[in-house]
Amino acid sequence: MEVIWGRKGDRMIKKWYRVQKLKILSILALAVIFTNAVVFYGNTVKLIYNQQWVISSYEVITQVESIKSILKDTETAQRNYLITADADDLKSYLAANQQTNHNIQILSKLTADKHQKQQWISLLEPKITSRLNILQQEIFLRQNQGLEAVRQQILSDKNKQSSKEIQQLIHNSLEGEQNLLQQGMQQSQASSQKAIVTFFIAAIVDLVLVALLYDLLWRYIRQLQQTELALRQSENRLRAMIDAEPECIKLIAGDGTLLEINAEGLAMMEVESADALIGKPIAAVILPEYRVLFADFHKNICQGNKGTLEFEIVGFKGTRRYIETHAVPLRNESDGTFMHLALMRDITQQKQAEQKIREQGLLLDISTEGILVRNIHNQILFWNQGAERLYGWKAEEVVGKNVLQLLYKDSPQLEDAYLKVMNTGEWRGELDQLTKEGKVIIVESRWILIRDDHGQPKSILSVNTEITQQKQLEAQLLRSQRLESIGTLAGGIVHDLNNILSPILMSVQLLQKKLPDSQSQQILQTLENNVKRGANLLKQVLSFARGIEGKRTIVQIQPLMTEIEQIIAQTFPESIICQIDIPKNLWYVRGDITQLHQVLINLVVNARDAMPSGGILRITAENLVIGEHSAQINIDAKVGSYVAIVVTDTGMGMSSEVQQRIFEPFFTTKEVGKGTGLGLSTALGIIKNHGGFVNVYSQVGRGTQFTVYLPASTFRDTHLLSPELESVTGDG
């Protein structure tokens, strides 16, 4: 192959050198022809100039000789008149006089562009004029004084001197002009000889160049003939190779007509011969719904761009096929436009398989469960719409990513699940997973191992069902049952302890009367205070266990919040910033204002204790309507209108284990002596006794949020609000 390419390269180099030589000789021939033309033009111009010069000299000589002759005739006619006084001689004189002036004017025009001759004329003309004036004076003397006076005038030296000067100027002029004429004729003859020699030299050079060009052209024509033969052979070989190609190859003209097609294309079009297709519009076999799309695609290719398109064709025997075409532009060297070279592949079976896969995918997408497939390297291969709804990621966002990094943070079950599915082919269990928002959800997961044709593990199919709400409801139910059991137990304990504390308190009071000394009184007072404190503690436990009924009225939350804000401002450290946002249109609630006050105090005190270094304490409230869906999430919630009071701090936060136990009596995370563990349990009892419920959300290091939901009072109850209560609540 390298040898073939090497020979081809040598041929291309030789062809290049031959073309370059032909170009150089052509340029040289043009240069010689141009030079010859310039030389011929110069010689011709010079010959014309010399000829004009000779003619001009002839004309000047003719006029000068004419002046000389006419001047002589003028003097002769004047002498004859002086002697004979004949009128005819006088007429001859006058005519010769006028002709002399006329010839002088012609001579002046002929030499208008010759400065030297103009100077000569400027010398000659006054002398001739002066001579003519003398002749005129002699005629005047002859007519008035007689022949003798004229004779004396003629014999004077002055007249002879004037005539001699004129003759000398004319003689000098004729002699000089004849010399110039001789020089011009010599130059003209030399230019003619030079032009003839140049012509013969140029003719010889042109003949040599024509011979060289003819030789080169003959060789070039022979080379073209050989090249044409080689191209024909190469075209035949290329045609055989194209026909052997298992895919359809087409060449389409800019107007959409077919120029070339191989054997596979003929089979695809279901015709025997290319003559049935060549020159016909390619769009004829394309289904109508794809023709506009293919026309735009063809236009884009003919603009010099590459492209890929899928469309459907129908053969001449009616067979429909899906075609995938990969097209590139092919430049047409004749006019610089582009043609459409296409490689077409029959993808009918692939399309049918894809359609089947899409139908199966639709069945998977109908499922409400999250279904995903990953390979053994944990890269996600498939992600259905149920998974999109469950986790929040679109399929295009997760395909190819590592499922462990995407859905799991720390899950100890993963390793056991992976080992079991690889060993047994199946695993079922519960997993903690993450959504796109970072929310932790609990799913019931089923894993199935998929093997390839050789029995090797290929991928794992996972079907996940979210059970987070179910688990939360189970936890709430267990906690509610546990608190109910604790409340029942606490109620019995309180009853027994009250029976124990009652005689102790009575005895202390009797002893206070019998022991009047101050030391005894002090001891007894301490004992009484502790007994009462214990009784108060038992009262809180009883409030949690059974719910202590108080006086129920219509309560407005805003004034209650104002009182809480005052307590916070007076007693809480300045490092804690309190923010209270209570809307004016907040609904009323029906309840015991003292107990509700106790609930809020317990919540804000806990928030204060959670921020020993300071922070932000935020209290808000809003009207809220809980529907059936929200009521199903919380076991204590019911459908209806509520006033939601939210107490948020930026303190230490709580772990999930602590959150499970915060409402248990006597459970506390505070140091010994700083809390009884009854605050939140009492608050929960009060809230439940009012028909409400409470939700807690906390993150370690980021703070805690308690949301208290109290049933809103009905419209009828709010209109039964007494005037005294209205003045207390501040509702004018």
Side-chain angles (χ1 to χ4, degrees), residues 110-138:
L110 289 175
T111 59
D113 56 346
K114 297 178 178 59
H115 179 66
Q116 187 176 2
K117 293 180 180 180
Q118 282 291 319
Q119 289 180 347
W120 173 76
I121 291 173
S122 65
L123 293 175
L124 180 63
E125 187 176 6
K127 291 184 181 295
I128 293 175
T129 303
S130 176
R131 179 62 180 165
L132 292 176
N133 290 333
I134 291 173
L135 295 177
Q136 185 64 35
Q137 289 176 4
E138 291 176 350

Side-chain angles (χ1 to χ4, degrees), residues 391 393 406 409 433-441 697 699:
Y391 300 107
W393 284 289
L406 191 73
K409 188 175 182 181
Q433 295 180 336
L434 297 174
T435 65
K436 185 177 183 179
E437 292 77 16
K439 179 182 176 182
V440 178
I441 61 173
Y697 176 77
Q699 284 185 310

Side-chain angles (χ1 to χ4, degrees), residues 312-511:
E312 205 171 353
I313 66 170
V314 56
F316 280 78
K317 294 182 180 180
T319 305
R320 294 177 56 160
R321 289 182 173 87
Y322 279 100
I323 300 298
E324 180 186 52
T325 178
H326 300 275
V328 295
L330 183 64
R331 183 179 294 276
N332 189 343
E333 298 298 338
S334 61
D335 56 6
T337 59
F338 288 102
M339 295 180 289
H340 178 165
L341 179 61
L343 177 66
M344 296 185 178
R345 181 182 297 111
D346 187 350
I347 57 170
T348 306
Q349 294 183 356
Q350 176 184 337
K351 280 291 184 180
Q352 292 173 351
E354 289 177 357
Q355 179 64 25
K356 187 174 181 180
I357 292 173
R358 280 195 296 270
E359 293 173 355
Q360 295 173 349
L362 289 175
L363 293 176
L364 293 176
D365 287 335
I366 293 174
S367 174
T368 58
E369 298 174 320
I371 300 175
L372 59 100
V373 179
R374 55 175 171 167
N375 59 21
I376 58 175
H377 302 294
N378 294 315
Q379 291 177 323
I380 298 174
L381 305 177
F382 176 77
W383 185 273
N384 77 330
Q385 292 184 6
E388 292 181 359
R389 291 188 293 269
L390 178 60
Y391 300 107
W393 284 289
K394 297 293 183 181
E396 55 269 18
E397 295 179 292
V398 299
V399 171
K401 292 187 177 180
N402 190 301
V403 69
L404 301 182
Q405 297 175 357
L406 191 73
L407 297 181
Y408 301 96
K409 188 175 182 181
D410 291 318
S411 184
Q413 312 105 306
L414 280 178
E415 185 175 354
D416 294 338
Y418 185 78
L419 291 175
K420 186 172 183 181
V421 77
M422 295 299 291
N423 292 329
T424 65
E426 187 177 359
W427 175 84
R428 183 188 297 265
E430 295 180 1
L431 294 172
D432 294 336
Q433 295 180 336
L434 297 174
T435 65
K436 185 177 183 179
E437 292 77 16
K439 179 182 176 182
V440 178
I441 61 173
I442 304 172
V443 299
E444 181 180 357
S445 185
R446 298 180 297 280
W447 293 8
I448 298 175
L449 181 65
I450 301 174
R451 300 180 182 273
D452 59 17
D453 297 337
H454 303 288
Q456 297 298 320
K458 178 181 178 182
S459 57
I460 299 175
L461 170 67
S462 300
V463 181
N464 300 326
T465 305
E466 184 183 7
I467 57 172
T468 306
Q469 294 183 5
Q470 177 183 340
K471 286 293 181 180
Q472 289 176 348
L473 290 174
E474 290 178 0
Q476 289 181 8
L477 180 60
L478 292 174
R479 185 174 62 183
S480 177
Q481 292 174 350
R482 184 169 65 252
L483 291 177
E484 184 178 355
S485 300
I486 293 174
T488 302
L489 178 62
I493 294 174
V494 168
H495 183 268
D496 293 339
L497 289 177
N498 274 330
N499 292 335
I500 295 173
L501 291 176
S502 294
I504 295 175
L505 183 60
M506 293 174 61
S507 300
V508 169
Q509 292 173 350
L510 290 174
L511 289 173

Side-chain angles (χ1 to χ4, degrees), residues 483-484 486-496 498-499 538-550 552 595 665 681-682 684-690:
L483 291 177
E484 184 178 355
I486 293 174
T488 302
L489 178 62
I493 294 174
V494 168
H495 183 268
D496 293 339
N498 274 330
N499 292 335
L538 293 175
K539 184 179 180 182
Q540 291 185 24
V541 173
L542 191 62
S543 175
F544 164 74
R546 298 179 180 176
I548 300 175
E549 291 289 341
R552 298 292 179 91
Q595 291 182 0
S681 61
T682 302
L684 180 62
I686 293 172
I687 292 169
K688 284 189 173 183
N689 195 38
H690 281 73

Side-chain angles (χ1 to χ4, degrees), residues 690-702:
H690 281 73
F693 62 97
V694 60
N695 282 341
V696 183
Y697 176 77
S698 181
Q699 284 185 310
V700 177
R702 300 184 63 177

Side-chain angles (χ1 to χ4, degrees), residues 73-84:
D73 292 341
T74 302
E75 290 181 350
T76 301
Q78 189 258 4
R79 292 289 185 271
N80 292 333
Y81 175 74
L82 292 178
I83 296 171
T84 61

Side-chain angles (χ1 to χ4, degrees), residues 92 138 165 197 231 304 356 360 426 517 541 610 619 678:
S92 299
E138 291 176 350
E165 289 178 355
V197 172
L231 286 175
K356 187 174 181 180
Q360 295 173 349
E426 187 177 359
D517 59 285
V541 173
I619 304 174
L678 292 173

